[in-house]
Amino acid sequence: MDRISVFNEYVRRKGLKNTNQRMVILETFLGSKSHYSTEDLYMKLRKEYPKIGYATVHRTLKLFAECGIAIELNFGDGQTRFEPLIADQHHDHLVCTSCGLIVEFTETRIERLQEQIASQYNFKIERHRHELYGLCSDCAKKQG
Amino acid sequence: MDRISVFNEYVRRKGLKNTNQRMVILETFLGSKSHYSTEDLYMKLRKEYPKIGYATVHRTLKLFAECGIAIELNFGDGQTRFEPLIADQHHDHLVCTSCGLIVEFTETRIERLQEQIASQYNFKIERHRHELYGLCSDCAKKQG
DNA sequence: TTAGCTTCTGAATGTCATTTTCAATATCCT
DNA sequence: AGGATATTGAAAATGACATTCAGAAGCTAA
């Protein structure tokens, strides 16, 4: 089931309504590989739909996270970012602390070790966050 | 060098001053295993030192992070927490999403894999964040 | 020790992302 | 279509964090 269907399904099940704004936001959100903050997406949408409200964008992004087609990311810069999520395609992030570049990685060996740790402590893991912060190759060159 | 000395050293080197409030905050901060938010520590201190200000607690915690005797943690609940840090004793966290329990873990195999990933992408890692979210054994029992 | 300079403190205020409110509007169901 | 209910967008509220400022306290040199 694609993400648009997942969203529609969720909206129906919850007795919510399917509005133009939500569709427009969804399409724009899915049609990019970016990690949008509310601000980012709002600015992008405003070019084509000047009447759209900031609060609507924000509420809709939260809704995406709620229904599982997006996840909230928080890299500690005081801005929550939202990332379109593909079912069963988990990944983690490398974040350049200089230019803000975000690179995704997956490492199944780490995932397995996580499970071991969880069972050691009798935790039932729901999700995790794993971020590596440092300089990307370009910034490392520039800044020594 | 213990953490009090590290702090005093830092204060001296930076031309800052050694005040009563800072000492009181430092002692309380180090004398607990908690992961304090500014609010938490402020409330705790207030019992014994009612005149201490929120801003002072907050500024001092930032100072601890600055001089390396604490790190800022962010578990995505909108509150920055500060953790007393022991030099060379890095660890990551298991966080119970139900009761808020925080358990620390270390796993050198994961650390090694991280380094491999970083070099794959030509990143120069400065720090990382690795958190596993889920239910602790108690909450898992209670909530099924 | 004191004078004099600098930093610190605490209360108040500012800032910024996010959330809520509310009246007008749009959607959905029958 | 009619009517109940959710949504929208502008504005205001919230909450964590940061800054300001005047008075207080720490530091340094003589």
Side-chain angles (χ1 to χ4, degrees):
Chain A
M1 194 159 65
D2 67 26
R3 288 168 295 180
I4 294 180
S5 311
V6 170
F7 180 70
N8 287 334
E9 180 68 19
Y10 183 82
V11 161
R12 190 153 44 72
R13 202 172 50 243
K14 284 270 187 173
L16 307 177
K17 288 172 180 171
N18 218 324
T19 67
N20 263 326
Q21 287 92 329
R22 283 178 178 167
M23 281 303 112
V24 159
I25 295 169
L26 181 54
E27 279 162 23
T28 305
F29 179 65
L30 293 180
S32 161
K33 286 162 202 116
S34 291
H35 300 76
Y36 282 119
S37 65
T38 300
E39 180 73 19
D40 293 340
L41 187 51
Y42 171 63
M43 291 315 267
K44 176 158 187 173
L45 283 161
R46 224 162 57 139
K47 290 175 193 160
E48 210 171 335
Y49 311 93
K51 290 206 320 205
I52 206 155
Y54 184 97
T56 301
V57 176
H58 184 258
R59 282 184 287 226
T60 306
L61 282 171
K62 298 291 272 187
L63 200 54
F64 293 167
E66 228 177 276
C67 75
I69 64 172
I71 47 163
E72 298 189 26
L73 300 175
N74 207 300
F75 297 138
D77 62 350
Q79 286 228 307
T80 301
R81 276 160 234 277
F82 293 81
E83 177 182 273
L85 199 61
I86 299 173
D88 310 322
Q89 250 189 41
H90 170 78
H91 59 252
D92 292 294
H93 298 89
L94 286 149
V95 180
C96 177
T97 52
S98 175
C99 69
L101 174 71
I102 298 168
V103 174
E104 297 163 2
F105 73 88
T106 53
E107 179 49 77
T108 50
R109 284 172 293 174
I110 290 179
E111 310 277 325
R112 272 201 301 275
L113 287 166
Q114 284 178 174
E115 280 160 32
Q116 287 179 26
I117 291 160
S119 71
Q120 249 175 65
Y121 291 95
N122 287 307
F123 261 68
K124 190 167 174 298
I125 297 304
E126 291 160 351
R127 63 200 161 80
H128 71 267
R129 178 152 84 173
H130 195 177
E131 290 141 21
L132 310 181
Y133 296 89
L135 296 177
C136 69
S137 55
D138 284 355
C139 291
K141 266 179 229 154
K142 280 177 205 152
Q143 310 195 356
Chain B
M1 193 157 67
D2 67 27
R3 288 169 294 180
I4 294 180
S5 310
V6 169
F7 180 70
N8 287 335
E9 179 68 19
Y10 183 81
V11 161
R12 191 154 42 74
R13 202 170 52 242
K14 285 269 188 175
L16 307 176
K17 287 171 182 173
N18 219 325
T19 66
N20 262 325
Q21 287 92 330
R22 283 180 180 166
M23 281 303 110
V24 159
I25 295 169
L26 180 54
E27 278 162 25
T28 305
F29 179 65
L30 293 180
S32 160
K33 287 162 201 115
S34 292
H35 300 77
Y36 283 119
S37 65
T38 299
E39 181 73 19
D40 293 340
L41 187 51
Y42 172 63
M43 292 316 266
K44 176 156 187 175
L45 284 161
R46 228 165 52 142
K47 289 176 194 158
E48 210 171 336
Y49 310 93
K51 290 206 321 202
I52 206 155
Y54 184 98
T56 301
V57 176
H58 184 256
R59 282 183 288 225
T60 305
L61 282 171
K62 298 292 274 187
L63 199 55
F64 293 166
E66 226 176 279
C67 75
I69 64 172
I71 48 163
E72 298 189 26
L73 301 174
N74 208 299
F75 297 137
D77 62 351
Q79 285 228 310
T80 301
R81 274 161 236 278
F82 293 82
E83 176 181 273
L85 198 61
I86 299 172
D88 309 323
Q89 248 189 39
H90 169 78
H91 58 254
D92 292 295
H93 298 89
L94 287 150
V95 181
C96 178
T97 52
S98 176
C99 69
L101 174 71
I102 298 168
V103 174
E104 297 162 1
F105 73 88
T106 52
E107 180 49 78
T108 51
R109 285 172 292 175
I110 290 179
E111 310 276 325
R112 272 201 301 275
L113 287 166
Q114 283 178 176
E115 279 160 32
Q116 287 179 24
I117 290 159
S119 71
Q120 251 175 63
Y121 290 96
N122 286 308
F123 261 69
K124 190 167 174 298
I125 298 304
E126 290 159 350
R127 63 199 162 82
H128 71 267
R129 177 151 84 174
H130 195 179
E131 291 141 21
L132 310 181
Y133 297 89
L135 295 177
C136 69
S137 54
D138 284 355
C139 291
K141 266 178 230 154
K142 280 176 207 152
Q143 310 195 358

